[in-house]
Amino acid sequence: MKRSLTRWGWLFTGPTVLAFMIGFVVPFVLGVYLSFTRFTTVTKSKWVGLANYKGVFSDATFLHSLWYTAAFTIVTTVLINVIAFVVAYLLIKTFRGTNIFRSVFFMPNLIGGIVLGYIWMLLLNGILGYWARSITYSGSYGFWGMVILMCWQQVGYMMVIYIAGLQSIPTDLFESAEVDGASRRQTLFNITIPLVMPSITVCTFLTITNGFKLFDQNLALTNGAPSRMSELLALNIYNTFYGRTGFEGVGQAKAVIFLLIVAALAMLQNRLTRSKETLS
Amino acid sequence: MSKVKRPGLWTVIFTIISIGYMFPIVLVVINSFKDKVFISSQPFSLPNSETFVGLANYARGVQLTEFFSSFGWSLIITVGSTALILLCTSMTAWWIVRADNKYAKTLYSAFLLNLVVPFQMVMFTLSWLTDFLHLGNPFGLWIVYLGFGAGLAVFIFTGFVKSIPHEIEEAATIDGCGPVRTFFQVVLPIMRPSVVTVAILEVMWLWNDYLLPYLTLDMKKFKTIPIAVQYLKGGYGSVDMGAMMGILVLAMIPVIVFYLVAQRHIISGVVAGAVKG
């Protein structure tokens, strides 16, 4: 079997690998290379060493959006996971309509980020209109606007994962806890939460990376206004590339730094929560 | 799982929350029937004889954005890319697990790297390369999406293949099947649940993706639905809020229909994808 598998390797991997070269490997390698050059097009580039990286850290808009994105990610990760867990915890109980409620909470996930952005623009501007303000009034308005939008969109997704985790806990564990006279709180903190740790790992991972990579919703809701104060990292990089000629190299260097941040966060988060999982 | 003390009360509480949860969508639908000047000034009032404009916003939105051609391109891109991703990456994933040689391992590591790389990292060079290779059309995007989306699909498929017992395939080999027949007649049918998972995750991503098609497609000829929506905002200084509301509703209809039809599969697909991912 193995030998004939090797012989047919070109058929099984060929198309994927070819597309992977076009869609990922070549752009990725070129991207890393270009971050060390000054360029306006891919074919016109001049090696400048670390100059672009120096440019990144002297760019105040980047430092602002880095801080802004970090704060945004922390707030959304905590809020989404806590709300999603509570909703999941309630919706696995038996009362009429739980299936319909789950469907309702999940639905915003299927609507694309651009459309979501404009839906919330209408609603938030409608409310803020009573004070003669709008979502682009200040960076903190945009911040909380995007937090609300993200929670609305993602609570249902994480809820679905938490429900699956909660349902996989064997019911006899709860029964024996009841026999032992454990209070509700004790059951929650000593049985339920430790046993849904795998779901918590997945959900925090997803919410952290989603927070850091958010682009469409940001573009549609505020587009960074006022004066780039509500600009998340992904949009900051986009604007550096396509908003200012001569700064393509800096944009590419920002993208490399962005990648390193996301990769480091993903690894760190995975290690942290996985170590908690083994305790349970 | 467990019983609550007053089930009726919980049903009432969640009914109220659910109605509130749907409010943003309802608000857009309400405003899509109002004259554009009243949308910003009185967004929360119901349309009345003065503000009601029937389907005029829809007609104008469809005309301004060429909505139906966008719908067609979105459909072609989503369906074609999903089909290509499912076929190619399921084959690759099975081969990676079973061949298990140095090439397979290197390939797998490369796909893992792809999983963590944000699109911004390749956005400039990828749009140049698609242009260079003349892939900047809906059919070319099938290949681009297969390439950039390969990581996640391969990852989920390999996770699943590892759980399939080897013996069935060996039996097929003894019966004289080569790898190709073994894969299509024996393995692929077993892989069905994971194929559904990947299909759901890909459709949710591809249908809503904005930046990749925006940067790679030839904008004069092809727009997808998210691009059409954004175009309405970008193209005309001040936004035509009426047309915008109409287009937002039209953009949501296919998604909601898809959700109602495939709800069970969508939820289980998301769960399966999350456990493997």
Side-chain angles (χ1 to χ4, degrees):
Chain A
M1 184 67 175
K2 274 232 158 138
R3 261 171 72 203
S4 57
L5 260 182
T6 317
R7 195 147 37 84
W8 287 95
W10 61 272
L11 180 69
F12 281 89
T13 65
T16 313
V17 168
L18 185 68
F20 191 57
M21 286 289 165
I22 297 168
F24 181 71
V25 179
V26 174
F28 181 78
V29 173
L30 266 179
V32 174
Y33 167 74
L34 286 177
S35 74
F36 298 103
T37 67
R38 174 176 266 279
F39 66 96
T40 44
T41 63
V42 171
T43 44
K44 275 186 198 154
S45 63
K46 193 176 148 246
W47 187 265
V48 293
L50 290 171
N52 290 329
Y53 289 87
K54 277 185 200 144
V56 171
F57 289 103
S58 56
D59 179 351
T61 68
F62 180 78
L63 298 174
H64 169 78
S65 73
L66 182 61
W67 175 86
Y68 192 80
T69 309
F72 175 77
T73 305
I74 293 167
V75 171
T76 51
T77 299
V78 172
L79 278 181
I80 291 170
N81 281 285
V82 170
I83 300 170
F85 182 83
V86 171
V87 174
Y89 190 70
L90 293 171
L91 287 183
I92 53 162
K93 316 239 173 212
T94 44
F95 55 89
R96 207 181 282 262
T98 48
N99 279 330
I100 298 171
F101 302 141
R102 289 180 195 179
S103 305
V104 168
F105 291 129
F106 185 83
M107 202 176 64
N109 279 290
L110 283 114
I111 305 170
I114 294 285
V115 177
L116 286 176
Y118 290 115
I119 292 175
W120 279 91
M121 187 193 229
L122 174 77
L123 178 54
L124 293 170
N125 278 343
I127 295 167
L128 291 169
Y130 288 109
W131 292 273
R133 287 184 182 165
S134 74
I135 190 70
T136 52
Y137 177 78
S138 82
S140 64
Y141 279 42
F143 183 90
W144 292 106
M146 283 190 285
V147 167
I148 295 169
L149 193 168
M150 277 290 267
C151 288
W152 187 71
Q153 182 188 2
Q154 293 194 3
V155 157
Y157 197 97
M158 304 308 153
M159 171 203 73
V160 159
I161 299 171
Y162 280 124
I163 286 176
L166 287 166
Q167 281 173 339
S168 69
I169 302 174
T171 44
D172 51 342
L173 276 177
F174 295 107
E175 281 156 18
S176 56
E178 212 178 313
V179 172
D180 290 347
S183 68
R184 281 188 167 213
R185 177 181 290 257
Q186 281 173 322
T187 315
L188 176 66
F189 284 98
N190 296 329
I191 298 177
T192 313
I193 291 181
L195 285 177
V196 291
M197 215 54 211
S199 306
I200 298 178
T201 306
V202 171
C203 289
T204 44
F205 174 78
L206 288 174
T207 39
I208 288 173
T209 47
N210 287 346
F212 253 85
K213 291 192 206 166
L214 194 74
F215 179 83
D216 295 7
Q217 288 85 335
N218 190 193
L219 180 73
L221 189 65
T222 68
N223 195 15
S227 58
R228 306 185 74 172
M229 292 314 282
S230 68
E231 200 176 55
L232 293 168
L233 266 184
L235 183 61
N236 181 273
I237 294 168
Y238 176 86
N239 284 335
T240 312
F241 263 119
Y242 298 102
R244 282 168 96 181
T245 25
F247 282 78
E248 290 85 353
V250 177
Q252 190 62 56
K254 283 181 179 179
V256 173
I257 293 167
F258 184 41
L259 161 68
L260 294 176
I261 294 172
V262 173
L265 275 176
M267 273 195 284
L268 189 72
Q269 190 276 343
N270 230 353
R271 193 166 292 181
L272 269 178
T273 42
R274 288 246 187 259
S275 66
K276 286 244 170 63
E277 267 176 49
T278 52
L279 286 176
S280 58
Chain B
M1 184 177 63
S2 61
K3 288 214 165 120
V4 280
K5 272 188 192 145
R6 282 199 236 154
L9 184 68
W10 283 104
T11 303
V12 172
I13 293 172
F14 267 95
T15 307
I16 295 166
I17 297 174
S18 295
I19 292 170
Y21 216 74
M22 285 294 105
F23 180 68
I25 292 173
V26 175
L27 188 70
V28 171
V29 176
I30 290 172
N31 279 284
S32 69
F33 296 105
K34 288 199 293 206
D35 188 291
K36 59 181 172 185
V37 287
F38 298 103
I39 293 172
S40 306
S41 60
Q42 23 182 300
F44 297 117
S45 61
L46 286 166
N48 55 36
S49 55
E50 186 196 4
T51 58
F52 183 73
V53 290
L55 293 174
N57 288 331
Y58 289 86
R60 207 167 59 251
V62 164
Q63 202 182 14
L64 284 174
T65 60
E66 297 164 34
F67 182 81
F68 293 112
S69 97
S70 304
F71 180 85
W73 294 127
S74 273
L75 201 65
I76 288 172
I77 291 171
T78 305
V79 172
S81 305
T82 305
L84 195 66
I85 289 173
L86 293 178
L87 176 70
C88 294
T89 59
S90 64
M91 290 172 75
T92 307
W94 178 73
W95 192 89
I96 284 177
V97 176
R98 295 300 183 229
D100 196 32
N101 53 28
K102 219 176 189 180
Y103 169 61
K105 281 179 182 140
T106 315
L107 212 52
Y108 187 68
S109 313
F111 288 131
L112 280 188
L113 175 68
N114 174 227
L115 267 181
V116 292
V117 173
F119 181 68
Q120 271 71 19
M121 180 60 213
V122 296
M123 117 183 125
F124 189 84
T125 41
L126 179 63
S127 57
W128 168 79
L129 188 62
T130 44
D131 194 45
F132 180 73
L133 297 172
H134 302 286
L135 294 173
N137 58 71
F139 307 100
L141 274 202
W142 293 357
I143 297 167
V144 178
Y145 271 128
L146 169 61
F148 192 73
L152 180 69
V154 168
F155 186 65
I156 295 174
F157 280 138
T158 49
F160 190 83
V161 171
K162 280 176 192 159
S163 71
I164 305 175
H166 208 168
E167 286 75 16
I168 309 166
E169 294 156 32
E170 276 167 354
T173 313
I174 293 165
D175 289 346
C177 280
V180 179
R181 264 188 80 182
T182 307
F183 179 78
F184 283 101
Q185 295 193 334
V186 179
V187 180
L188 199 55
I190 304 175
M191 284 176 79
R192 233 188 87 145
S194 60
V195 171
V196 174
T197 302
V198 175
I200 293 294
L201 296 176
E202 299 297 338
V203 167
M204 283 173 67
W205 167 48
L206 293 165
W207 182 265
N208 293 319
D209 197 22
Y210 166 73
L211 198 51
L212 194 153
Y214 176 71
L215 292 176
T216 50
L217 286 178
D218 180 351
M219 275 307 119
K220 288 194 193 82
K221 291 186 212 148
F222 317 105
K223 290 191 190 75
T224 62
I225 290 178
I227 296 171
V229 174
Q230 181 63 13
Y231 177 81
L232 202 54
K233 167 80 186 306
Y236 300 86
S238 70
V239 196
D240 181 335
M241 284 301 272
M244 178 62 104
M245 293 303 128
I247 288 301
L248 289 183
V249 174
L250 289 180
M252 281 189 285
I253 289 173
V255 168
I256 291 171
V257 170
F258 173 63
Y259 186 45
L260 293 178
V261 172
Q263 201 179 27
R264 189 175 296 255
H265 300 289
I266 292 172
I267 304 261
S268 62
V270 164
V271 170
V275 175
K276 290 284 189 303

